[in-house]
Amino acid sequence: MTTALFDSWIDRYDNWFATPIGQLVRRYEAELLLAFLEPQPGERILDAGCGTGIFTADALSSGAWVTGIDLSAAMLSRAVARGGAHFAGVCADMCALPFADNSFDRVFSMTAIEFVADGARAIAEFNRVVKAGGRVVVTSLNSLSPWAEERRHKAATKGHGLFEQVHFRSPEEMRHLISAPCESRTAIHFGKHDQPEKVPAIERAGAALNLETGAFLAVRWNKT
């Protein structure tokens, strides 16, 4: 995939999260990320596929030191601009991380692995650079959700460049990529066109039922 495709999405990506429904998506995705990652002050954390740094801010808010990597230099530039003194940006491929073994206390990747055909290779790299006992959290677009079906439709009928590149995976498929014992959970049980005031109740119901059909899929494990 060319980085030019991501470069062209910088403003659209950030602006979407500023919409009413986008703000709710960001809220519930960030809540699940932090619940799984549990970042601690002073830790060294890798954000693999950091994009424009929207979710990097959540790890930084814990007082951790975060290194963000992304293939898109333009997206990375936006992340550096908003990251602050505890953030360092590196233009790199998550399937060939330019870091020594056992470099980070925690590693997370937010909705980036779906743009990697060989997901197992990326997982292996995350495991390589995290310390023994360290936490890894990988999130992705869930193939079982109505959001994924809509995105597949846009790719097939409207030539949507970004969604044409996505490798949607189910919770089971994601767990299969990981050799260690892991836990998965989904969020974003509401639809893109649901009324914002109804979203909290929909999310509570989806979480209570532990549904695997939420649009946002998160998997976590500790390196043994």
Side-chain angles (χ1 to χ4, degrees):
M1 181 188 300
T2 64
T3 58
L5 180 60
F6 290 106
D7 294 349
S8 67
W9 271 81
I10 294 172
D11 290 331
R12 279 181 285 182
Y13 180 78
D14 281 358
N15 291 340
W16 188 81
F17 280 111
T19 65
I21 203 72
Q23 289 179 44
L24 288 165
V25 167
R26 195 222 176 289
R27 168 188 165 185
Y28 289 110
E29 289 186 351
E31 285 181 0
L32 181 48
L33 168 66
L34 291 177
F36 267 23
L37 187 64
E38 299 180 306
Q40 302 299 314
E43 288 185 327
R44 292 195 65 208
I45 296 177
L46 175 66
D47 181 355
C50 65
T52 64
I54 286 180
F55 293 97
T56 314
D58 297 291
L60 287 166
S61 68
S62 71
W65 295 81
V66 180
T67 299
I69 67 108
D70 205 275
L71 279 174
S72 169
M75 278 197 160
L76 192 63
S77 178
R78 180 74 61 88
V80 169
R82 64 171 28 129
H86 279 218
F87 178 76
V90 178
C91 197
D93 184 345
M94 69 170 63
C95 290
L97 293 170
F99 308 110
D101 296 357
N102 310 308
S103 292
F104 297 95
D105 298 294
R106 300 175 197 263
V107 174
F108 74 98
S109 181
M110 285 289 284
T111 58
I113 198 170
E114 58 266 42
F115 296 102
V116 176
D118 189 352
R121 182 177 175 185
I123 296 294
E125 278 293 273
F126 301 159
N127 278 324
R128 181 182 67 79
V129 301
V130 75
K131 296 176 181 178
R135 173 74 51 82
V136 183
V137 176
V138 178
T139 76
S140 182
L141 302 174
N142 184 4
S143 67
L144 303 183
S145 76
W147 290 70
E149 183 57 37
E150 180 181 347
R151 287 159 175 162
R152 281 190 289 258
H153 179 73
K154 284 185 177 181
T157 63
K158 299 182 179 180
H160 195 295
L162 193 65
F163 295 154
E164 286 177 337
Q165 307 295 324
V166 175
H167 301 273
F168 293 106
R169 297 180 177 96
S170 68
E172 182 178 0
E173 289 169 330
M174 282 293 297
R175 292 191 294 264
H176 185 70
L177 294 177
I178 301 158
S179 57
C182 61
E183 176 186 0
S184 65
R185 192 182 304 169
T186 72
I188 316 304
H189 302 286
F190 56 92
K192 186 176 182 180
H193 304 293
D194 281 333
Q195 296 177 3
E197 61 271 19
K198 294 183 178 180
V199 164
I202 296 171
E203 277 302 294
R204 285 194 298 271
L209 293 170
N210 197 27
L211 296 179
E212 288 206 322
T213 52
F216 180 70
L217 165 62
V219 184
R220 71 173 173 184
W221 68 97
N222 292 335
K223 179 179 177 179
T224 56

